[in-house]
Structures are given as C-alpha cells and as structure tokens.
Coordinates of all heavy atoms in Angstrom, one line a residue:
M1 N 0.8 -1.2 0.0 CA 0.0 0.0 0.0 C 0.9 1.2 0.0 O 0.8 2.1 -0.9 CB -0.9 0.0 1.2 CG -2.0 1.0 1.2 SD -3.3 0.6 0.0 CE -4.5 1.8 0.4
R2 N 1.8 1.3 1.0 CA 2.7 2.5 1.1 C 3.6 2.6 -0.1 O 3.9 3.6 -0.6 CB 3.5 2.4 2.4 CG 4.4 3.6 2.6 CD 4.8 3.6 4.0 NE 3.7 3.9 4.9 CZ 3.8 4.3 6.2 NH1 5.0 4.4 6.7 NH2 2.8 4.6 6.9
T3 N 4.1 1.4 -0.6 CA 4.9 1.4 -1.8 C 4.2 1.9 -3.0 O 4.8 2.7 -3.8 CB 5.4 -0.1 -2.1 OG1 6.0 -0.6 -0.9 CG2 6.5 -0.1 -3.2
A4 N 3.0 1.5 -3.2 CA 2.2 2.0 -4.3 C 2.0 3.5 -4.3 O 2.1 4.2 -5.3 CB 0.8 1.3 -4.3
L5 N 1.8 4.0 -3.1 CA 1.6 5.5 -2.9 C 2.9 6.2 -3.3 O 2.9 7.2 -4.1 CB 1.2 5.8 -1.5 CG 1.0 7.3 -1.2 CD1 -0.2 7.8 -2.0 CD2 0.7 7.5 0.3
L6 N 4.0 5.7 -2.9 CA 5.3 6.3 -3.2 C 5.6 6.3 -4.7 O 6.0 7.3 -5.3 CB 6.4 5.5 -2.4 CG 7.8 6.1 -2.6 CD1 7.9 7.5 -2.0 CD2 8.9 5.2 -1.9
A7 N 5.2 5.2 -5.3 CA 5.4 5.0 -6.8 C 4.6 6.1 -7.5 O 5.0 6.7 -8.5 CB 5.0 3.6 -7.2
S8 N 3.4 6.4 -7.0 CA 2.5 7.4 -7.6 C 3.1 8.7 -7.5 O 3.1 9.5 -8.5 CB 1.1 7.4 -7.0 OG 0.6 6.1 -7.0
V9 N 3.6 9.0 -6.3 CA 4.3 10.3 -6.1 C 5.5 10.5 -7.0 O 5.6 11.6 -7.6 CB 4.7 10.5 -4.6 CG1 5.5 11.7 -4.4 CG2 3.4 10.5 -3.7
L10 N 6.3 9.5 -7.2 CA 7.4 9.6 -8.1 C 7.0 9.8 -9.5 O 7.6 10.6 -10.2 CB 8.3 8.3 -7.9 CG 9.1 8.2 -6.7 CD1 9.7 6.8 -6.6 CD2 10.1 9.3 -6.6
L11 N 5.9 9.1 -9.9 CA 5.4 9.2 -11.3 C 5.0 10.7 -11.5 O 5.3 11.3 -12.6 CB 4.2 8.3 -11.5 CG 4.5 7.0 -12.2 CD1 3.3 6.2 -12.3 CD2 5.1 7.2 -13.6
L12 N 4.3 11.3 -10.6 CA 3.8 12.6 -10.7 C 5.0 13.6 -10.8 O 5.0 14.5 -11.6 CB 3.0 13.0 -9.4 CG 1.5 12.7 -9.5 CD1 0.9 13.0 -8.1 CD2 0.8 13.4 -10.6
A13 N 6.0 13.4 -10.0 CA 7.2 14.2 -10.0 C 7.9 14.2 -11.3 O 8.3 15.2 -11.9 CB 8.2 13.9 -8.9
T14 N 8.0 13.0 -11.9 CA 8.7 12.8 -13.2 C 7.9 13.5 -14.3 O 8.4 14.2 -15.2 CB 8.8 11.3 -13.5 OG1 9.4 10.6 -12.4 CG2 9.6 11.1 -14.8
G15 N 6.5 13.4 -14.2 CA 5.7 14.0 -15.2 C 5.9 15.5 -15.2 O 5.9 16.1 -16.3
C16 N 6.0 16.1 -14.0 CA 6.2 17.6 -13.9 C 7.5 18.0 -14.5 O 7.6 19.0 -15.2 CB 6.1 18.0 -12.5 SG 4.5 18.0 -11.8
A17 N 8.6 17.2 -14.3 CA 9.9 17.5 -14.8 C 10.0 17.5 -16.3 O 10.8 18.3 -16.9 CB 10.9 16.6 -14.1
S18 N 9.3 16.6 -17.0 CA 9.4 16.5 -18.4 C 8.7 17.6 -19.2 O 8.9 17.7 -20.4 CB 8.9 15.1 -18.8 OG 7.5 15.0 -18.6
E19 N 7.8 18.3 -18.5 CA 7.0 19.3 -19.2 C 7.1 20.6 -18.4 O 7.1 20.6 -17.2 CB 5.6 18.9 -19.2 CG 4.7 19.5 -20.2 CD 3.3 18.9 -20.2 OE1 3.2 17.7 -20.7 OE2 2.4 19.5 -19.7
P20 N 7.4 21.8 -19.0 CA 7.5 23.0 -18.3 C 6.3 23.4 -17.5 O 5.1 23.2 -18.0 CB 7.8 24.1 -19.3 CG 7.4 23.5 -20.6 CD 7.5 22.0 -20.5
D21 N 6.5 23.8 -16.3 CA 5.3 24.2 -15.5 C 4.7 25.5 -16.0 O 5.3 26.3 -16.5 CB 5.8 24.5 -14.0 CG 6.1 23.3 -13.3 OD1 5.6 22.2 -13.6 OD2 6.9 23.4 -12.3
V22 N 3.3 25.5 -16.0 CA 2.6 26.7 -16.4 C 2.3 27.5 -15.2 O 1.7 27.0 -14.2 CB 1.3 26.3 -17.2 CG1 0.5 27.5 -17.5 CG2 1.7 25.6 -18.5
D23 N 2.6 28.8 -15.2 CA 2.4 29.6 -14.0 C 1.1 30.4 -14.1 O 0.6 30.8 -13.1 CB 3.6 30.6 -13.9 CG 4.9 29.9 -13.7 OD1 5.2 29.6 -12.5 OD2 5.6 29.6 -14.6
A24 N 0.6 30.5 -15.3 CA -0.7 31.2 -15.5 C -1.4 30.7 -16.8 O -0.7 30.4 -17.8 CB -0.5 32.7 -15.5
T25 N -2.7 30.7 -16.8 CA -3.4 30.2 -18.0 C -4.4 31.3 -18.4 O -5.0 31.9 -17.5 CB -4.2 29.0 -17.6 OG1 -3.3 27.9 -17.2 CG2 -5.0 28.5 -18.9
V26 N -4.4 31.6 -19.7 CA -5.3 32.7 -20.2 C -6.2 31.9 -21.2 O -5.8 31.3 -22.2 CB -4.5 33.8 -21.0 CG1 -5.5 34.8 -21.6 CG2 -3.5 34.5 -20.0
H27 N -7.5 32.0 -20.9 CA -8.5 31.4 -21.7 C -9.0 32.4 -22.7 O -9.2 33.5 -22.5 CB -9.7 31.0 -20.7 CG -10.6 30.0 -21.3 ND1 -12.0 30.2 -21.4 CD2 -10.4 28.8 -21.8 CE1 -12.5 29.2 -21.9 NE2 -11.6 28.3 -22.1
I28 N -9.1 31.9 -24.0 CA -9.5 32.7 -25.1 C -10.9 32.2 -25.5 O -11.0 31.2 -26.1 CB -8.5 32.7 -26.3 CG1 -7.1 33.1 -25.9 CG2 -9.0 33.6 -27.4 CD1 -6.1 32.9 -27.0
S29 N -11.9 33.1 -25.2 CA -13.3 32.7 -25.7 C -14.1 34.0 -25.7 O -13.7 35.0 -25.0 CB -13.9 31.7 -24.7 OG -14.1 32.3 -23.4
N30 N -15.2 34.0 -26.5 CA -16.0 35.2 -26.6 C -15.2 36.4 -27.0 O -15.5 37.5 -26.6 CB -16.8 35.5 -25.3 CG -17.7 34.3 -25.0 OD1 -18.4 33.8 -25.9 ND2 -17.7 33.9 -23.7
V31 N -14.2 36.2 -27.9 CA -13.3 37.2 -28.4 C -12.7 38.1 -27.3 O -12.7 39.3 -27.4 CB -14.1 38.1 -29.5 CG1 -13.2 38.8 -30.4 CG2 -15.1 37.2 -30.3
R32 N -12.2 37.4 -26.3 CA -11.5 38.2 -25.3 C -10.6 37.2 -24.5 O -10.7 36.0 -24.6 CB -12.5 38.8 -24.3 CG -13.3 37.9 -23.5 CD -14.4 38.7 -22.7 NE -13.8 39.6 -21.7 CZ -13.4 39.2 -20.5 NH1 -13.7 38.0 -20.0 NH2 -12.9 40.1 -19.6
F33 N -9.6 37.9 -23.9 CA -8.6 37.1 -23.0 C -9.1 37.1 -21.6 O -9.5 38.2 -21.1 CB -7.2 37.8 -23.1 CG -6.6 37.8 -24.5 CD1 -6.4 39.0 -25.1 CD2 -6.2 36.6 -25.1 CE1 -5.8 39.0 -26.4 CE2 -5.7 36.6 -26.4 CZ -5.5 37.8 -27.0
D34 N -9.2 36.0 -21.0 CA -9.7 35.9 -19.6 C -8.7 35.0 -18.8 O -8.5 33.8 -19.0 CB -11.0 35.2 -19.6 CG -11.6 35.1 -18.2 OD1 -11.3 36.0 -17.4 OD2 -12.4 34.2 -18.0
P35 N -8.0 35.6 -17.8 CA -8.1 37.0 -17.4 C -7.3 37.9 -18.3 O -6.4 37.4 -19.0 CB -7.5 37.1 -16.0 CG -6.5 35.9 -16.0 CD -7.1 34.9 -16.9
Q36 N -7.6 39.2 -18.3 CA -6.9 40.1 -19.2 C -5.5 40.4 -18.7 O -4.6 40.8 -19.4 CB -7.7 41.4 -19.4 CG -8.7 41.4 -20.5 CD -9.2 42.8 -20.8 OE1 -9.8 43.4 -20.0 NE2 -9.0 43.3 -22.0
E37 N -5.3 40.4 -17.4 CA -4.0 40.7 -16.8 C -3.6 39.5 -15.9 O -4.4 39.0 -15.1 CB -4.1 41.9 -15.9 CG -4.3 43.2 -16.7 CD -4.0 44.5 -15.9 OE1 -3.2 44.4 -14.9 OE2 -4.7 45.5 -16.1
V38 N -2.4 39.1 -16.0 CA -1.9 38.0 -15.1 C -0.5 38.4 -14.7 O 0.2 39.2 -15.4 CB -1.8 36.6 -15.8 CG1 -3.2 36.1 -16.2 CG2 -0.9 36.6 -17.0
S39 N -0.1 38.0 -13.5 CA 1.2 38.2 -12.9 C 1.9 36.9 -12.7 O 1.3 36.0 -12.2 CB 1.1 38.9 -11.5 OG 0.5 40.2 -11.7
I40 N 3.2 36.9 -13.2 CA 4.0 35.7 -13.0 C 5.4 36.0 -12.5 O 5.8 37.2 -12.7 CB 4.1 34.9 -14.4 CG1 4.7 35.8 -15.4 CG2 2.7 34.4 -14.8 CD1 5.1 35.1 -16.7
P41 N 6.1 35.1 -12.0 CA 7.5 35.3 -11.6 C 8.4 35.3 -12.8 O 8.0 34.7 -13.8 CB 7.8 34.2 -10.6 CG 6.9 33.1 -11.1 CD 5.6 33.7 -11.6
L42 N 9.6 35.9 -12.6 CA 10.6 35.9 -13.7 C 10.9 34.4 -14.1 O 11.1 33.6 -13.2 CB 11.8 36.6 -13.3 CG 12.9 36.7 -14.3 CD1 12.5 37.6 -15.5 CD2 14.2 37.4 -13.7
G43 N 10.9 34.1 -15.4 CA 11.1 32.8 -15.8 C 9.8 32.0 -15.9 O 9.9 30.8 -16.2
G44 N 8.7 32.6 -15.6 CA 7.4 31.9 -15.6 C 6.9 31.7 -17.0 O 7.2 32.4 -17.9
T45 N 6.0 30.7 -17.1 CA 5.4 30.4 -18.4 C 3.9 30.6 -18.4 O 3.2 30.3 -17.4 CB 5.6 28.9 -18.7 OG1 7.1 28.7 -18.8 CG2 5.0 28.4 -20.0
V46 N 3.4 31.2 -19.4 CA 2.0 31.5 -19.6 C 1.4 30.6 -20.7 O 2.1 30.4 -21.7 CB 1.7 32.9 -19.9 CG1 0.2 33.1 -20.2 CG2 2.1 33.8 -18.8
E47 N 0.3 30.0 -20.5 CA -0.3 29.2 -21.5 C -1.7 29.8 -21.9 O -2.5 30.1 -21.1 CB -0.6 27.7 -21.1 CG -1.3 26.9 -22.2 CD -1.5 25.5 -21.7 OE1 -0.5 24.7 -21.9 OE2 -2.6 25.1 -21.2
W48 N -1.8 30.1 -23.3 CA -3.1 30.6 -23.8 C -3.8 29.4 -24.3 O -3.3 28.6 -25.1 CB -2.8 31.6 -24.9 CG -2.4 32.9 -24.4 CD1 -3.2 34.0 -24.2 CD2 -1.0 33.4 -24.1 NE1 -2.4 35.1 -23.8 CE2 -1.1 34.7 -23.7 CE3 0.2 32.7 -24.2 CZ2 0.0 35.4 -23.4 CZ3 1.3 33.4 -23.8 CH2 1.2 34.8 -23.4
Q49 N -5.1 29.3 -24.0 CA -5.9 28.2 -24.4 C -7.0 28.7 -25.4 O -7.8 29.5 -25.0 CB -6.6 27.5 -23.3 CG -5.7 26.9 -22.3 CD -6.3 26.2 -21.1 OE1 -7.5 26.5 -20.8 NE2 -5.6 25.4 -20.4
F50 N -6.8 28.3 -26.7 CA -7.7 28.8 -27.7 C -9.0 28.0 -27.7 O -9.0 26.8 -28.0 CB -7.1 28.7 -29.1 CG -5.9 29.6 -29.3 CD1 -4.7 29.3 -28.6 CD2 -6.0 30.7 -30.1 CE1 -3.6 30.2 -28.8 CE2 -4.9 31.6 -30.3 CZ -3.7 31.3 -29.6
D51 N -10.1 28.6 -27.3 CA -11.3 27.8 -27.1 C -12.5 28.7 -27.4 O -13.3 29.1 -26.6 CB -11.4 27.3 -25.6 CG -12.6 26.5 -25.3 OD1 -13.2 26.0 -26.3 OD2 -13.0 26.4 -24.2
D52 N -12.6 29.2 -28.7 CA -13.6 30.1 -29.1 C -14.4 29.6 -30.2 O -14.7 30.3 -31.2 CB -12.9 31.5 -29.4 CG -13.9 32.7 -29.2 OD1 -15.0 32.4 -28.9 OD2 -13.4 33.8 -29.4
E53 N -14.8 28.3 -30.0 CA -15.7 27.6 -31.0 C -15.1 27.7 -32.4 O -15.8 27.9 -33.4 CB -17.1 28.2 -31.0 CG -17.7 28.0 -29.6 CD -19.1 28.5 -29.5 OE1 -19.5 29.4 -30.3 OE2 -19.8 28.1 -28.6
G54 N -13.8 27.6 -32.5 CA -13.1 27.5 -33.8 C -12.8 28.9 -34.4 O -12.1 29.0 -35.4
L55 N -13.2 29.9 -33.8 CA -12.9 31.3 -34.2 C -11.4 31.5 -34.1 O -10.8 31.1 -33.1 CB -13.6 32.4 -33.4 CG -13.5 33.8 -33.9 CD1 -14.2 34.0 -35.2 CD2 -14.1 34.7 -32.9
L56 N -10.7 32.0 -35.2 CA -9.3 32.1 -35.2 C -8.8 33.3 -34.5 O -9.4 34.4 -34.6 CB -8.8 32.1 -36.6 CG -9.1 30.8 -37.4 CD1 -8.6 31.0 -38.9 CD2 -8.4 29.6 -36.8
H57 N -7.7 33.1 -33.7 CA -7.0 34.3 -33.0 C -5.5 34.1 -33.2 O -5.0 33.0 -33.5 CB -7.4 34.3 -31.5 CG -8.8 34.5 -31.2 ND1 -9.5 35.7 -31.4 CD2 -9.7 33.6 -30.8 CE1 -10.7 35.5 -31.1 NE2 -10.9 34.3 -30.7
E58 N -4.8 35.2 -33.0 CA -3.3 35.2 -33.1 C -2.8 36.1 -31.9 O -2.9 37.3 -32.0 CB -2.8 35.7 -34.4 CG -1.3 35.6 -34.5 CD -0.8 36.0 -35.9 OE1 -1.6 36.3 -36.8 OE2 0.4 35.9 -36.1
V59 N -2.2 35.4 -30.9 CA -1.7 36.2 -29.8 C -0.3 36.8 -30.2 O 0.6 36.0 -30.5 CB -1.6 35.3 -28.5 CG1 -1.2 36.2 -27.3 CG2 -3.0 34.6 -28.3
H60 N -0.2 38.1 -30.0 CA 1.0 38.7 -30.5 C 1.5 39.8 -29.6 O 0.7 40.7 -29.2 CB 0.8 39.3 -31.9 CG 1.9 40.0 -32.5 ND1 2.9 39.4 -33.3 CD2 2.3 41.3 -32.4 CE1 3.8 40.3 -33.7 NE2 3.4 41.5 -33.2
A61 N 2.8 39.8 -29.3 CA 3.4 41.0 -28.6 C 4.6 41.3 -29.4 O 5.5 40.5 -29.7 CB 3.9 40.5 -27.2
D62 N 4.7 42.6 -29.9 CA 5.7 43.0 -30.8 C 7.1 42.7 -30.3 O 7.5 43.1 -29.1 CB 5.6 44.6 -31.0 CG 4.5 44.9 -31.9 OD1 4.1 44.1 -32.7 OD2 4.1 46.1 -31.9
G63 N 7.9 42.0 -31.1 CA 9.2 41.6 -30.7 C 9.4 40.7 -29.6 O 10.5 40.4 -29.1
V64 N 8.3 40.1 -29.1 CA 8.4 39.2 -27.9 C 8.0 37.8 -28.3 O 8.7 36.8 -28.2 CB 7.6 39.7 -26.7 CG1 7.8 38.8 -25.5 CG2 8.1 41.1 -26.4
F65 N 6.7 37.7 -28.8 CA 6.2 36.4 -29.1 C 5.1 36.5 -30.1 O 4.5 37.6 -30.3 CB 5.8 35.5 -27.9 CG 4.6 36.1 -27.2 CD1 3.3 36.0 -27.6 CD2 4.8 36.9 -26.0 CE1 2.2 36.5 -26.9 CE2 3.7 37.4 -25.3 CZ 2.4 37.2 -25.8
D66 N 4.8 35.4 -30.8 CA 3.6 35.3 -31.7 C 3.1 33.9 -31.7 O 3.9 33.0 -32.0 CB 4.0 35.8 -33.1 CG 2.8 36.0 -34.0 OD1 2.0 35.1 -34.1 OD2 2.6 37.2 -34.5
S67 N 1.9 33.7 -31.5 CA 1.4 32.3 -31.4 C 1.1 31.7 -32.8 O 0.9 30.5 -32.9 CB 0.0 32.3 -30.6 OG -1.0 33.0 -31.4
G68 N 1.0 32.6 -33.8 CA 0.5 32.1 -35.1 C -1.0 32.0 -35.0 O -1.6 32.1 -33.9
V69 N -1.6 31.9 -36.2 CA -3.1 31.9 -36.2 C -3.5 30.5 -35.7 O -3.0 29.5 -36.1 CB -3.6 32.1 -37.6 CG1 -5.1 31.9 -37.7 CG2 -3.2 33.4 -38.2
N70 N -4.4 30.5 -34.7 CA -4.8 29.3 -34.0 C -6.3 29.3 -33.7 O -6.8 30.4 -33.4 CB -3.9 29.3 -32.7 CG -3.9 27.9 -32.1 OD1 -4.8 27.1 -32.2 ND2 -2.8 27.6 -31.4
G71 N -6.9 28.1 -33.7 CA -8.3 28.1 -33.5 C -8.7 27.1 -32.4 O -9.8 27.2 -31.8
D72 N -7.8 26.1 -32.1 CA -8.3 25.1 -31.2 C -7.2 24.4 -30.4 O -7.4 23.2 -30.0 CB -9.1 24.0 -32.0 CG -8.2 23.3 -33.0 OD1 -7.0 23.7 -33.1 OD2 -8.7 22.4 -33.7
S73 N -6.1 25.0 -30.2 CA -5.1 24.3 -29.3 C -4.5 25.3 -28.3 O -5.3 26.2 -27.8 CB -4.0 23.7 -30.2 OG -3.3 24.7 -30.8
T74 N -3.3 25.2 -27.9 CA -2.7 26.0 -26.9 C -1.4 26.6 -27.4 O -0.8 26.1 -28.3 CB -2.4 25.3 -25.6 OG1 -1.5 24.2 -25.9 CG2 -3.7 24.7 -25.0
F75 N -1.0 27.7 -26.8 CA 0.3 28.3 -27.0 C 1.0 28.7 -25.7 O 0.3 29.2 -24.8 CB 0.1 29.6 -27.9 CG 1.4 30.5 -28.0 CD1 2.4 30.0 -28.8 CD2 1.5 31.7 -27.3 CE1 3.6 30.8 -28.9 CE2 2.6 32.5 -27.4 CZ 3.7 32.0 -28.2
R76 N 2.3 28.4 -25.6 CA 3.0 28.7 -24.3 C 4.2 29.6 -24.6 O 4.8 29.5 -25.6 CB 3.5 27.4 -23.7 CG 2.4 26.6 -23.0 CD 3.1 25.4 -22.4 NE 2.1 24.6 -21.7 CZ 2.3 23.5 -21.1 NH1 3.6 23.1 -20.9 NH2 1.4 22.8 -20.5
F77 N 4.4 30.5 -23.7 CA 5.6 31.3 -23.8 C 6.2 31.5 -22.4 O 5.5 31.7 -21.4 CB 5.3 32.7 -24.4 CG 6.5 33.5 -24.7 CD1 7.3 33.2 -25.9 CD2 7.0 34.5 -23.8 CE1 8.5 34.0 -26.1 CE2 8.1 35.2 -24.1 CZ 8.9 35.0 -25.2
T78 N 7.5 31.4 -22.3 CA 8.3 31.6 -21.1 C 8.9 33.0 -21.1 O 9.6 33.4 -22.0 CB 9.3 30.5 -20.9 OG1 8.7 29.3 -20.9 CG2 10.1 30.7 -19.6
F79 N 8.7 33.8 -20.0 CA 9.1 35.2 -19.9 C 10.4 35.3 -19.1 O 10.4 35.0 -17.9 CB 8.0 36.0 -19.3 CG 6.8 36.1 -20.2 CD1 5.8 35.1 -20.2 CD2 6.6 37.2 -21.0 CE1 4.7 35.2 -21.0 CE2 5.5 37.3 -21.9 CZ 4.6 36.3 -21.9
D80 N 11.5 35.6 -19.8 CA 12.8 35.7 -19.1 C 13.3 37.1 -18.9 O 14.4 37.3 -18.5 CB 13.8 34.9 -20.0 CG 13.6 33.4 -20.0 OD1 13.2 32.9 -19.0 OD2 13.7 32.8 -21.1
T81 N 12.4 38.1 -19.1 CA 12.8 39.5 -18.9 C 11.7 40.1 -18.0 O 10.5 40.0 -18.3 CB 12.8 40.3 -20.2 OG1 13.7 39.6 -21.1 CG2 13.3 41.7 -20.0
P82 N 12.1 40.8 -16.9 CA 11.1 41.4 -16.0 C 10.4 42.6 -16.7 O 11.1 43.3 -17.5 CB 11.9 41.8 -14.8 CG 13.3 41.9 -15.2 CD 13.5 40.9 -16.4
G83 N 9.2 42.9 -16.3 CA 8.5 44.0 -16.8 C 7.1 43.6 -17.2 O 6.7 42.5 -17.1
D84 N 6.4 44.6 -17.8 CA 5.1 44.4 -18.3 C 5.1 44.1 -19.8 O 5.7 44.9 -20.5 CB 4.2 45.6 -18.0 CG 3.9 45.8 -16.5 OD1 4.2 44.8 -15.8 OD2 3.4 46.8 -16.1
V85 N 4.5 43.1 -20.3 CA 4.4 42.8 -21.7 C 2.9 43.0 -22.1 O 2.0 42.2 -21.6 CB 4.9 41.4 -22.0 CG1 4.7 41.1 -23.5 CG2 6.3 41.2 -21.6
E86 N 2.6 43.9 -22.9 CA 1.3 44.1 -23.5 C 1.2 43.3 -24.8 O 2.1 43.4 -25.6 CB 1.0 45.6 -23.7 CG 1.0 46.3 -22.3 CD 0.5 47.8 -22.5 OE1 0.2 48.2 -23.6 OE2 0.6 48.5 -21.5
Y87 N 0.1 42.7 -25.0 CA -0.1 41.9 -26.2 C -1.5 42.1 -26.7 O -2.4 42.6 -26.0 CB 0.2 40.4 -25.9 CG -0.8 39.7 -25.0 CD1 -1.9 39.0 -25.5 CD2 -0.6 39.8 -23.6 CE1 -2.7 38.4 -24.6 CE2 -1.4 39.1 -22.8 CZ -2.5 38.4 -23.3 OH -3.4 37.8 -22.4
H88 N -1.7 41.6 -27.9 CA -3.1 41.8 -28.5 C -3.3 40.6 -29.5 O -2.4 39.8 -29.7 CB -3.3 43.1 -29.2 CG -2.3 43.3 -30.3 ND1 -1.1 43.8 -30.2 CD2 -2.5 43.0 -31.7 CE1 -0.5 43.8 -31.4 NE2 -1.3 43.4 -32.3
C89 N -4.5 40.6 -30.1 CA -4.8 39.6 -31.1 C -4.6 40.3 -32.4 O -5.1 41.4 -32.7 CB -6.2 39.0 -31.0 SG -6.7 38.0 -32.3
S90 N -3.8 39.7 -33.3 CA -3.5 40.3 -34.6 C -4.8 40.4 -35.5 O -4.9 41.3 -36.3 CB -2.5 39.5 -35.4 OG -1.3 39.4 -34.6
I91 N -5.7 39.5 -35.3 CA -6.9 39.5 -36.1 C -8.0 40.4 -35.5 O -8.7 41.0 -36.2 CB -7.5 38.0 -36.1 CG1 -6.4 37.1 -36.8 CG2 -8.8 37.9 -36.9 CD1 -6.7 35.6 -36.7
H92 N -8.0 40.5 -34.2 CA -9.0 41.4 -33.5 C -8.2 42.3 -32.6 O -8.0 42.0 -31.4 CB -10.0 40.6 -32.6 CG -10.6 39.4 -33.3 ND1 -10.1 38.1 -33.2 CD2 -11.6 39.3 -34.2 CE1 -10.8 37.3 -33.9 NE2 -11.7 38.0 -34.6
P93 N -7.7 43.5 -33.2 CA -6.8 44.3 -32.4 C -7.4 44.9 -31.1 O -6.6 45.3 -30.2 CB -6.5 45.5 -33.4 CG -6.8 44.9 -34.7 CD -7.9 43.9 -34.5
Y94 N -8.7 44.9 -31.0 CA -9.3 45.4 -29.7 C -9.2 44.3 -28.6 O -9.5 44.6 -27.4 CB -10.8 45.7 -30.0 CG -11.6 44.6 -30.6 CD1 -12.2 43.6 -29.9 CD2 -11.7 44.6 -32.0 CE1 -12.9 42.6 -30.5 CE2 -12.4 43.6 -32.7 CZ -13.0 42.6 -31.9 OH -13.7 41.6 -32.5
M95 N -8.8 43.1 -28.9 CA -8.5 42.1 -27.9 C -7.1 42.4 -27.3 O -6.1 42.3 -28.1 CB -8.5 40.7 -28.5 CG -9.8 40.1 -28.9 SD -9.6 38.5 -29.7 CE -9.1 37.5 -28.3
S96 N -7.0 42.7 -26.1 CA -5.6 42.9 -25.5 C -5.5 42.4 -24.1 O -6.5 42.1 -23.5 CB -5.4 44.5 -25.5 OG -6.3 45.1 -24.6
G97 N -4.3 42.2 -23.7 CA -4.0 41.7 -22.4 C -2.6 42.1 -22.0 O -1.8 42.7 -22.8
T98 N -2.3 41.9 -20.7 CA -1.0 42.3 -20.1 C -0.4 41.2 -19.3 O -1.2 40.6 -18.5 CB -1.1 43.6 -19.3 OG1 -1.7 44.6 -20.1 CG2 0.3 44.0 -18.8
I99 N 0.9 40.9 -19.4 CA 1.5 40.0 -18.5 C 2.5 40.7 -17.7 O 3.4 41.5 -18.2 CB 2.4 38.9 -19.3 CG1 1.5 38.2 -20.4 CG2 3.0 37.9 -18.4 CD1 0.3 37.4 -19.9
H100 N 2.4 40.7 -16.4 CA 3.3 41.3 -15.4 C 4.3 40.3 -15.0 O 4.0 39.3 -14.4 CB 2.5 41.9 -14.2 CG 1.4 42.8 -14.5 ND1 1.6 44.1 -14.9 CD2 0.1 42.7 -14.6 CE1 0.5 44.7 -15.2 NE2 -0.5 43.9 -14.9
V101 N 5.6 40.6 -15.4 CA 6.7 39.7 -15.0 C 7.5 40.3 -13.9 O 8.1 41.4 -14.1 CB 7.6 39.3 -16.2 CG1 8.6 38.3 -15.9 CG2 6.7 38.9 -17.4
S102 N 7.6 39.7 -12.7 CA 8.3 40.3 -11.6 C 9.5 39.6 -11.2 O 9.7 38.4 -11.7 CB 7.4 40.4 -10.4 OG 6.9 39.2 -10.0
Ligands
CU1 CU1 -8.7 37.4 -32.0

C-alpha cells in the first residue's frame, strides 16, 4: 500500500519535470482574453488556451512572441525578462492583455 503510494508520487514528480510548469493560464473565448491581466514570476510560463468555437485568433506581442493563427489548441511562452508585456490579437486588435513579469 505504502509502496504503491510512493510510486504514484514519483510518477507525478517525473511528469512535472518532463514538461515546463505553467504559471498562469489565459482562456480565449467570446473574443476576449480571460483574465486580461496576469502576474507571473521571472522565468514563468503562460499558456493561452484557444477555445472560441473555432474562431481564429493570433496572440502577438511586438518583438516578444507570436502564437501564429490558432483556433483550437494552446500556445505557451516563457518570460525571461522582467517588466510588463502588453499583447493583443492580430486578427482582433481590440483584444488585448498584459503579462506582469516580476
Ligand atoms: Cu482574435
């Protein structure tokens, strides 16, 4: 019983190590980013989840990152520079958000 529990814990730990941790998740639906503002530590990773019934979006921050046009998957970016990064959707410029990296 105790051995099985330990094995499960080790499996979980290995799973985390093989995939970068996500520090914040931004849901994309109803043509908006939710939440619009997130705060993460330096070196943190944000994951955008495209879930707007197939409507295409492109998350873009000038000179920082670009998700490419996406309709139904996820995009991750790791922030290695402190400061505020403002981003928007290239297809719907009125969609905007901010990542605070401390
Ligand atoms: Cu959009």
Side-chain angles (χ1 to χ4, degrees):
M1 192 71 170
R2 182 162 292 194
T3 308
L5 182 63
L6 183 62
S8 306
V9 170
L10 285 173
L11 262 177
L12 273 174
T14 308
C16 288
S18 65
E19 201 174 286
D21 286 336
V22 171
D23 298 275
T25 300
V26 178
H27 198 234
I28 305 175
S29 64
N30 298 315
V31 202
R32 64 187 298 272
F33 297 113
D34 182 28
Q36 270 191 300
E37 292 193 31
V38 297
S39 296
I40 57 168
L42 184 62
T45 298
V46 176
E47 180 176 276
W48 284 264
Q49 298 179 341
F50 293 74
D51 182 22
D52 207 356
E53 300 182 341
L55 188 66
L56 298 175
H57 298 287
E58 180 174 6
V59 186
H60 177 91
D62 283 339
V64 184
F65 64 80
D66 192 305
S67 69
V69 176
N70 198 327
D72 63 356
S73 64
T74 60
F75 169 71
R76 285 183 181 182
F77 188 79
T78 299
F79 294 83
D80 293 322
T81 306
D84 292 348
V85 177
E86 294 185 5
Y87 66 93
H88 63 274
C89 173
S90 302
I91 301 171
H92 312 99
Y94 51 88
M95 289 175 69
S96 63
T98 306
I99 308 297
H100 302 286
V101 186
S102 57

